Amino acid sequence: MKTFLTIIFLTFLNITYAVDNVHNHDNHEHSSSAQGLSTGTVDPKGGKIDVNVFGLVCDFCAQAIQKVFMKREEVSGIKVDLSGGLVAIYTKQGKDIDDEDITTLIVDAGYNVDSINRE
Amino acid sequence: MRKLLLLLLFLSTEVASRPVSYPGGWTFMTMNDGHKYSVHTHYSPTANYSIGYKGEFWRSGDYQIHALQINNLLKRWNKQHAQANIYLKSGIGITYSDYNSFNSETDPVFFTGLAADWETRKYFISYENRITKSNSIVDNFRQKARIGFSPYVADFGNLHTWLMLEVSHVPEDEKNFAYTPLIRLFKGPSLLETGYSSEGKFLLNFVHRF
């Protein structure tokens, strides 16, 4: 019982720390060199595709999206925003993935595409 | 009956703790809840099913199960801020015991069960059941449900914390309901759960996805 209470106490400290450190984007913007990618890099001469995805609720979902897209040679980096249900795909210079391929990859990973927007 | 069992096997799935991964993904799980210690490692050829090894070591009854387990995603609902799933998880293998009258006896064993979950980034509900049957060593039904919430919402890659209550029901046990408050810590590819049940048993689960 003592061990369990210790675990509870440490977890409470952990929650307190995590709540204090939840990232807030309201008052600032990231520079392009520090866009908080989930994985990979941003090719400054490449493109960016924003995909609104339904069903992203946890890190396992985000990891799945990250893994399937990083296998594609056109992709330089991925950013998954769970709160917004948004996946940002950064492509390499001169490379692109068409909407149909993006939709297939996301559906095959177990999720649904709401919309795809390109910059 | 045998044909039905075989049919169930090939339709089979596994639920809770996301028993199916992304295409090409591997998952390792170890679960310890006072009744049993188990390990399960599976590979997902597609996002609709996974196949792997399940090993269980049951303290009450003192028997082991070693099985090939198949988990099928029967249905998934993807919503803007929620996801719900129904899985079928089944296995076939052998069970072994040298408890009481069982003299190092080995039996073919089969199990199957349904699992369902609904999850947002703040709330979680799940239910799962399982029937396990062998010739003489094992014949039981178990079910459990969970409800939980996350006290804060964190970004991908940060630490996620969930507080949950698990209620398990084992009809054959003298005290057939057990309640386990637990904490789930989730970060990136790893998930850790720990709790303490009304039976005075620790729960310790770990999942890692590759």
Side-chain angles (χ1 to χ4, degrees), chain A residues 4, chain B residues 32-35 144-147 163-168 177-183 193-205:
Chain A
F4 182 67
Chain B
N32 189 342
D33 67 1
H35 286 286
K144 64 183 178 184
R146 276 190 185 189
I147 185 166
L163 303 176
M164 295 182 168
L165 176 67
E166 178 177 293
V167 181
S168 59
F177 280 96
Y179 305 89
T180 308
L182 63 104
I183 293 159
E193 294 177 339
T194 184
Y196 190 73
S197 78
S198 56
E199 297 172 312
K201 306 285 188 185
F202 278 104
L203 175 145
L204 187 63
N205 299 332

Side-chain angles (χ1 to χ4, degrees), chain B residues 64-76:
Chain B
Q64 306 173 14
I65 292 174
H66 301 278
L68 175 72
Q69 181 163 328
I70 299 174
N71 306 317
N72 293 319
L73 174 62
L74 299 182
K75 179 70 180 171
R76 170 170 290 174

Side-chain angles (χ1 to χ4, degrees), chain B residues 148-166:
Chain B
F149 75 98
S150 176
Y152 63 92
V153 173
D155 289 340
F156 170 42
N158 291 337
L159 178 69
H160 304 257
T161 303
W162 289 82
L163 303 176
M164 295 182 168
L165 176 67
E166 178 177 293

